Amino acid sequence: MSNPELLPLLEPADTAAPCCPPLTERPFTAEEAETAARMFKALGDPVRLRLFSAVASHEGGEACVCDISDVGVSQPTVSHHLKKLKDAGLLTSERRGTWVYYRVEPSVLAAMGRLLTVAPAAV
Amino acid sequence: MSNPELLPLLEPADTAAPCCPPLTERPFTAEEAETAARMFKALGDPVRLRLFSAVASHEGGEACVCDISDVGVSQPTVSHHLKKLKDAGLLTSERRGTWVYYRVEPSVLAAMGRLLTVAPAAV
């Protein structure tokens, strides 16, 4: 996966979230809507949102499962929701020793923020 | 609803979306997560996202059902999804003559955009 000689300038963000123009710019195509809806749906659950926020606000934008499990649900449920966030491209994970560490994908977050930009014409 | 003498400075946006700090700022409380997840969930469906985008990008930020029904689903399904978007506070509607007109609530859109702001510490 990593070859520093070939990929020194690649922004992982750009490949992670090619989608989409601001929602206010023009009607979405079916394909754009599929891609963007997947990201919104991942954040459309209160437990997932708390887990995501816990990772995103943790020191260094990274957190161990051991840091963020205090959301009132069982450990398997936490794992299930973290997997959903990973599948949607919002989190990445890396095992280091005993623990798995989760990190926010800032580019995806930024792409979702762009979707919600309010175009002057729409205000 | 509209009284220009009493409400000239009111921003409907502020009352519509009191929620929440950026996701990267601190872990969300359960209440914040409930509120924000409701908005994200409303956009977490491809058909709803296409309808929302069709309204949001329509001239004047407003559209009649007759303008936006071209998303490949039945009229009752369109109505169902528009109701979900209204219930989440993302659209408002107004009947004028034969048609119901839908309008984006720009403040809610802006509030969701703020949620996705990437704080410098998290990048």
Side-chain angles (χ1 to χ4, degrees), chain B residues 76-118:
Chain B
T77 303
V78 167
S79 297
H80 165 79
H81 283 305
L82 288 171
K83 183 176 184 313
K84 290 239 174 188
L85 289 165
K86 275 183 64 177
D87 290 348
L90 292 168
L91 293 181
T92 56
S93 71
E94 186 188 350
R95 178 175 288 277
R96 294 208 291 274
T98 313
W99 295 104
V100 177
Y101 289 81
Y102 290 86
R103 175 173 282 282
V104 166
E105 185 48 75
S107 59
V108 178
L109 209 60
M112 290 183 75
R114 270 198 304 278
L115 287 184
L116 297 167
T117 305
V118 182

Short mmCIF file of all heavy atoms in Angstrom, two decimals, chain B residues 76-118:
data_model
loop_
_atom_site.label_atom_id
_atom_site.label_comp_id
_atom_site.label_asym_id
_atom_site.label_seq_id
_atom_site.Cartn_x
_atom_site.Cartn_y
_atom_site.Cartn_z
N PRO B 76 -46.62 8.86 -4.30
CA PRO B 76 -46.74 8.66 -2.84
C PRO B 76 -45.38 8.52 -2.16
O PRO B 76 -45.20 8.99 -1.03
CB PRO B 76 -47.54 7.36 -2.74
CG PRO B 76 -48.31 7.27 -4.00
CD PRO B 76 -47.44 7.89 -5.06
N THR B 77 -44.43 7.88 -2.85
CA THR B 77 -43.09 7.73 -2.27
C THR B 77 -42.40 9.09 -2.18
O THR B 77 -41.73 9.40 -1.18
CB THR B 77 -42.25 6.73 -3.10
OG1 THR B 77 -42.94 5.49 -3.16
CG2 THR B 77 -40.88 6.51 -2.47
N VAL B 78 -42.57 9.90 -3.22
CA VAL B 78 -42.02 11.26 -3.19
C VAL B 78 -42.61 12.00 -1.98
O VAL B 78 -41.87 12.63 -1.20
CB VAL B 78 -42.33 12.02 -4.50
CG1 VAL B 78 -42.07 13.51 -4.34
CG2 VAL B 78 -41.51 11.46 -5.65
N SER B 79 -43.92 11.93 -1.82
CA SER B 79 -44.57 12.63 -0.71
C SER B 79 -44.05 12.14 0.63
O SER B 79 -43.80 12.93 1.55
CB SER B 79 -46.09 12.42 -0.76
OG SER B 79 -46.61 12.97 -1.94
N HIS B 80 -43.88 10.84 0.76
CA HIS B 80 -43.37 10.24 1.99
C HIS B 80 -41.98 10.80 2.32
O HIS B 80 -41.70 11.20 3.46
CB HIS B 80 -43.31 8.71 1.80
CG HIS B 80 -42.49 7.99 2.82
ND1 HIS B 80 -42.95 7.71 4.08
CD2 HIS B 80 -41.23 7.50 2.76
CE1 HIS B 80 -42.02 7.08 4.77
NE2 HIS B 80 -40.97 6.93 3.99
N HIS B 81 -41.12 10.86 1.32
CA HIS B 81 -39.76 11.34 1.57
C HIS B 81 -39.73 12.85 1.87
O HIS B 81 -38.96 13.31 2.71
CB HIS B 81 -38.85 11.01 0.39
CG HIS B 81 -38.44 9.58 0.34
ND1 HIS B 81 -37.82 8.95 1.39
CD2 HIS B 81 -38.56 8.64 -0.63
CE1 HIS B 81 -37.58 7.69 1.08
NE2 HIS B 81 -38.02 7.48 -0.15
N LEU B 82 -40.58 13.59 1.17
CA LEU B 82 -40.65 15.04 1.46
C LEU B 82 -41.12 15.28 2.89
O LEU B 82 -40.61 16.17 3.58
CB LEU B 82 -41.58 15.73 0.46
CG LEU B 82 -41.02 15.87 -0.97
CD1 LEU B 82 -42.11 16.36 -1.92
CD2 LEU B 82 -39.82 16.81 -1.01
N LYS B 83 -42.03 14.44 3.37
CA LYS B 83 -42.50 14.57 4.74
C LYS B 83 -41.37 14.29 5.73
O LYS B 83 -41.20 14.99 6.73
CB LYS B 83 -43.68 13.61 4.99
CG LYS B 83 -44.26 13.75 6.39
CD LYS B 83 -45.49 12.89 6.61
CE LYS B 83 -46.11 13.12 7.98
NZ LYS B 83 -45.18 13.14 9.09
N LYS B 84 -40.56 13.29 5.43
CA LYS B 84 -39.43 12.97 6.30
C LYS B 84 -38.45 14.15 6.37
O LYS B 84 -37.91 14.46 7.43
CB LYS B 84 -38.69 11.73 5.78
CG LYS B 84 -39.47 10.45 5.94
CD LYS B 84 -38.71 9.46 6.80
CE LYS B 84 -39.53 8.22 7.09
NZ LYS B 84 -38.87 7.35 8.07
N LEU B 85 -38.22 14.78 5.23
CA LEU B 85 -37.32 15.93 5.19
C LEU B 85 -37.90 17.10 5.98
O LEU B 85 -37.17 17.84 6.65
CB LEU B 85 -37.03 16.35 3.74
CG LEU B 85 -36.13 15.39 2.95
CD1 LEU B 85 -36.20 15.67 1.45
CD2 LEU B 85 -34.68 15.47 3.44
N LYS B 86 -39.21 17.26 5.89
CA LYS B 86 -39.88 18.30 6.69
C LYS B 86 -39.79 17.99 8.18
O LYS B 86 -39.47 18.86 8.99
CB LYS B 86 -41.36 18.40 6.30
CG LYS B 86 -41.64 19.29 5.11
CD LYS B 86 -43.13 19.39 4.87
CE LYS B 86 -43.87 20.05 6.03
NZ LYS B 86 -45.32 20.19 5.73
N ASP B 87 -40.06 16.74 8.54
CA ASP B 87 -40.02 16.35 9.95
C ASP B 87 -38.64 16.58 10.55
O ASP B 87 -38.51 16.86 11.74
CB ASP B 87 -40.42 14.88 10.11
CG ASP B 87 -41.90 14.64 9.81
OD1 ASP B 87 -42.65 15.63 9.72
OD2 ASP B 87 -42.30 13.48 9.66
N ALA B 88 -37.60 16.43 9.73
CA ALA B 88 -36.24 16.64 10.22
C ALA B 88 -35.86 18.12 10.23
O ALA B 88 -34.76 18.49 10.64
CB ALA B 88 -35.25 15.87 9.35
N GLY B 89 -36.77 18.98 9.77
CA GLY B 89 -36.50 20.42 9.79
C GLY B 89 -35.67 20.91 8.62
O GLY B 89 -35.24 22.07 8.61
N LEU B 90 -35.46 20.06 7.62
CA LEU B 90 -34.61 20.46 6.48
C LEU B 90 -35.39 21.21 5.41
O LEU B 90 -34.82 21.98 4.65
CB LEU B 90 -33.94 19.23 5.87
CG LEU B 90 -32.88 18.57 6.76
CD1 LEU B 90 -32.48 17.21 6.20
CD2 LEU B 90 -31.66 19.47 6.89
N LEU B 91 -36.68 20.93 5.33
CA LEU B 91 -37.53 21.64 4.36
C LEU B 91 -38.72 22.24 5.09
O LEU B 91 -39.16 21.73 6.12
CB LEU B 91 -38.07 20.66 3.29
CG LEU B 91 -37.09 20.03 2.31
CD1 LEU B 91 -37.86 19.13 1.35
CD2 LEU B 91 -36.33 21.09 1.52
N THR B 92 -39.22 23.32 4.53
CA THR B 92 -40.52 23.83 4.95
C THR B 92 -41.44 23.75 3.73
O THR B 92 -40.97 23.64 2.60
CB THR B 92 -40.43 25.29 5.43
OG1 THR B 92 -39.88 26.08 4.37
CG2 THR B 92 -39.55 25.41 6.66
N SER B 93 -42.74 23.79 3.96
CA SER B 93 -43.66 23.72 2.83
C SER B 93 -44.79 24.71 3.00
O SER B 93 -45.10 25.14 4.11
CB SER B 93 -44.22 22.30 2.68
OG SER B 93 -45.13 22.03 3.72
N GLU B 94 -45.37 25.07 1.87
CA GLU B 94 -46.48 26.02 1.88
C GLU B 94 -47.39 25.70 0.70
O GLU B 94 -46.91 25.56 -0.43
CB GLU B 94 -45.93 27.45 1.73
CG GLU B 94 -46.95 28.54 1.88
CD GLU B 94 -46.37 29.92 1.53
OE1 GLU B 94 -45.14 30.01 1.35
OE2 GLU B 94 -47.15 30.87 1.41
N ARG B 95 -48.69 25.57 0.98
CA ARG B 95 -49.62 25.34 -0.12
C ARG B 95 -50.00 26.68 -0.74
O ARG B 95 -50.37 27.62 -0.04
CB ARG B 95 -50.88 24.61 0.38
CG ARG B 95 -51.92 24.38 -0.70
CD ARG B 95 -53.09 23.55 -0.21
NE ARG B 95 -52.73 22.16 -0.02
CZ ARG B 95 -52.69 21.25 -1.00
NH1 ARG B 95 -52.97 21.61 -2.25
NH2 ARG B 95 -52.37 20.00 -0.74
N ARG B 96 -49.90 26.76 -2.08
CA ARG B 96 -50.35 27.96 -2.80
C ARG B 96 -51.19 27.49 -3.98
O ARG B 96 -50.64 26.98 -4.96
CB ARG B 96 -49.16 28.79 -3.28
CG ARG B 96 -48.34 29.37 -2.14
CD ARG B 96 -47.62 30.67 -2.53
NE ARG B 96 -46.55 30.47 -3.48
CZ ARG B 96 -45.30 30.15 -3.17
NH1 ARG B 96 -44.94 29.98 -1.90
NH2 ARG B 96 -44.39 29.99 -4.10
N GLY B 97 -52.49 27.65 -3.85
CA GLY B 97 -53.39 27.16 -4.90
C GLY B 97 -53.35 25.65 -4.94
O GLY B 97 -53.48 24.99 -3.90
N THR B 98 -53.13 25.11 -6.14
CA THR B 98 -53.16 23.67 -6.31
C THR B 98 -51.95 22.96 -5.73
O THR B 98 -52.02 21.81 -5.32
CB THR B 98 -53.22 23.34 -7.83
OG1 THR B 98 -54.22 24.16 -8.43
CG2 THR B 98 -53.56 21.87 -8.06
N TRP B 99 -50.82 23.67 -5.67
CA TRP B 99 -49.55 23.00 -5.40
C TRP B 99 -48.97 23.32 -4.03
O TRP B 99 -49.20 24.39 -3.48
CB TRP B 99 -48.51 23.38 -6.46
CG TRP B 99 -48.89 22.91 -7.83
CD1 TRP B 99 -49.39 23.67 -8.84
CD2 TRP B 99 -48.82 21.57 -8.31
NE1 TRP B 99 -49.63 22.89 -9.94
CE2 TRP B 99 -49.29 21.59 -9.65
CE3 TRP B 99 -48.41 20.35 -7.76
CZ2 TRP B 99 -49.35 20.44 -10.43
CZ3 TRP B 99 -48.46 19.21 -8.53
CH2 TRP B 99 -48.93 19.27 -9.86
N VAL B 100 -48.21 22.36 -3.55
CA VAL B 100 -47.42 22.59 -2.34
C VAL B 100 -45.98 22.92 -2.77
O VAL B 100 -45.40 22.24 -3.62
CB VAL B 100 -47.41 21.34 -1.43
CG1 VAL B 100 -46.53 21.57 -0.22
CG2 VAL B 100 -48.84 20.99 -1.01
N TYR B 101 -45.46 24.01 -2.22
CA TYR B 101 -44.11 24.44 -2.54
C TYR B 101 -43.18 24.12 -1.37
O TYR B 101 -43.53 24.35 -0.21
CB TYR B 101 -44.08 25.94 -2.85
CG TYR B 101 -44.72 26.26 -4.16
CD1 TYR B 101 -46.10 26.36 -4.27
CD2 TYR B 101 -43.97 26.40 -5.33
CE1 TYR B 101 -46.72 26.62 -5.49
CE2 TYR B 101 -44.57 26.66 -6.55
CZ TYR B 101 -45.94 26.77 -6.62
OH TYR B 101 -46.54 27.00 -7.84
N TYR B 102 -42.02 23.59 -1.71
CA TYR B 102 -41.03 23.23 -0.69
C TYR B 102 -39.84 24.17 -0.78
O TYR B 102 -39.44 24.60 -1.86
CB TYR B 102 -40.58 21.78 -0.88
CG TYR B 102 -41.67 20.81 -0.53
CD1 TYR B 102 -42.62 20.45 -1.47
CD2 TYR B 102 -41.78 20.30 0.76
CE1 TYR B 102 -43.66 19.59 -1.14
CE2 TYR B 102 -42.81 19.44 1.10
CZ TYR B 102 -43.74 19.09 0.14
OH TYR B 102 -44.76 18.24 0.48
N ARG B 103 -39.31 24.46 0.39
CA ARG B 103 -38.21 25.42 0.48
C ARG B 103 -37.17 24.86 1.45
O ARG B 103 -37.52 24.28 2.48
CB ARG B 103 -38.78 26.75 0.98
CG ARG B 103 -37.78 27.85 1.25
CD ARG B 103 -38.47 29.16 1.56
NE ARG B 103 -38.97 29.82 0.36
CZ ARG B 103 -38.20 30.50 -0.48
NH1 ARG B 103 -36.91 30.65 -0.23
NH2 ARG B 103 -38.72 31.06 -1.55
N VAL B 104 -35.91 25.05 1.11
CA VAL B 104 -34.83 24.62 2.00
C VAL B 104 -34.73 25.58 3.17
O VAL B 104 -34.95 26.78 3.02
CB VAL B 104 -33.49 24.61 1.23
CG1 VAL B 104 -32.31 24.51 2.19
CG2 VAL B 104 -33.47 23.45 0.25
N GLU B 105 -34.44 25.05 4.33
CA GLU B 105 -34.19 25.86 5.50
C GLU B 105 -32.66 26.11 5.56
O GLU B 105 -31.91 25.27 6.03
CB GLU B 105 -34.69 25.12 6.75
CG GLU B 105 -34.59 25.90 8.03
CD GLU B 105 -35.14 27.30 7.93
OE1 GLU B 105 -36.37 27.46 7.90
OE2 GLU B 105 -34.32 28.24 7.88
N PRO B 106 -32.20 27.26 5.04
CA PRO B 106 -30.75 27.46 4.90
C PRO B 106 -30.01 27.37 6.24
O PRO B 106 -28.86 26.95 6.28
CB PRO B 106 -30.62 28.87 4.31
CG PRO B 106 -31.97 29.23 3.81
CD PRO B 106 -32.96 28.43 4.60
N SER B 107 -30.68 27.78 7.31
CA SER B 107 -30.00 27.77 8.60
C SER B 107 -29.68 26.36 9.06
O SER B 107 -28.66 26.10 9.69
CB SER B 107 -30.87 28.45 9.63
OG SER B 107 -32.10 27.74 9.72
N VAL B 108 -30.58 25.42 8.74
CA VAL B 108 -30.36 24.04 9.14
C VAL B 108 -29.19 23.46 8.34
O VAL B 108 -28.33 22.77 8.88
CB VAL B 108 -31.64 23.20 8.94
CG1 VAL B 108 -31.39 21.75 9.30
CG2 VAL B 108 -32.76 23.75 9.79
N LEU B 109 -29.19 23.80 7.07
CA LEU B 109 -28.09 23.37 6.21
C LEU B 109 -26.77 23.92 6.75
O LEU B 109 -25.76 23.21 6.85
CB LEU B 109 -28.34 23.90 4.80
CG LEU B 109 -27.79 23.10 3.63
CD1 LEU B 109 -28.36 21.70 3.60
CD2 LEU B 109 -28.10 23.82 2.32
N ALA B 110 -26.78 25.18 7.12
CA ALA B 110 -25.55 25.81 7.64
C ALA B 110 -25.13 25.15 8.95
O ALA B 110 -23.94 24.93 9.20
CB ALA B 110 -25.78 27.31 7.83
N ALA B 111 -26.12 24.82 9.79
CA ALA B 111 -25.80 24.18 11.08
C ALA B 111 -25.17 22.81 10.86
O ALA B 111 -24.21 22.43 11.54
CB ALA B 111 -27.07 24.04 11.92
N MET B 112 -25.68 22.08 9.87
CA MET B 112 -25.09 20.77 9.57
C MET B 112 -23.68 20.94 9.02
O MET B 112 -22.79 20.15 9.32
CB MET B 112 -25.96 20.02 8.56
CG MET B 112 -27.28 19.55 9.13
SD MET B 112 -28.24 18.60 7.93
CE MET B 112 -27.35 17.03 7.92
N GLY B 113 -23.49 21.97 8.21
CA GLY B 113 -22.16 22.25 7.69
C GLY B 113 -21.17 22.54 8.81
O GLY B 113 -20.03 22.09 8.79
N ARG B 114 -21.66 23.28 9.83
CA ARG B 114 -20.79 23.60 10.99
C ARG B 114 -20.38 22.33 11.73
O ARG B 114 -19.25 22.21 12.18
CB ARG B 114 -21.52 24.53 11.96
CG ARG B 114 -21.32 26.01 11.68
CD ARG B 114 -21.67 26.86 12.90
NE ARG B 114 -23.03 26.63 13.40
CZ ARG B 114 -24.12 27.20 12.90
NH1 ARG B 114 -24.02 28.04 11.88
NH2 ARG B 114 -25.31 26.97 13.42
N LEU B 115 -21.30 21.38 11.84
CA LEU B 115 -20.99 20.12 12.51
C LEU B 115 -19.77 19.45 11.88
O LEU B 115 -19.01 18.77 12.55
CB LEU B 115 -22.16 19.13 12.36
CG LEU B 115 -23.42 19.34 13.15
CD1 LEU B 115 -24.38 18.19 12.91
CD2 LEU B 115 -23.09 19.41 14.63
N LEU B 116 -19.66 19.63 10.56
CA LEU B 116 -18.63 18.92 9.82
C LEU B 116 -17.36 19.76 9.64
O LEU B 116 -16.47 19.38 8.90
CB LEU B 116 -19.19 18.49 8.46
CG LEU B 116 -20.35 17.51 8.57
CD1 LEU B 116 -21.07 17.36 7.25
CD2 LEU B 116 -19.85 16.16 9.05
N THR B 117 -17.32 20.90 10.31
CA THR B 117 -16.11 21.71 10.26
C THR B 117 -14.95 20.91 10.86
O THR B 117 -15.10 20.31 11.91
CB THR B 117 -16.29 23.00 11.09
OG1 THR B 117 -17.46 23.66 10.62
CG2 THR B 117 -15.09 23.90 10.96
N VAL B 118 -13.84 20.90 10.16
CA VAL B 118 -12.68 20.19 10.67
C VAL B 118 -11.86 21.14 11.53
O VAL B 118 -11.28 22.10 11.02
CB VAL B 118 -11.83 19.63 9.51
CG1 VAL B 118 -10.65 18.86 10.07
CG2 VAL B 118 -12.68 18.74 8.63
#
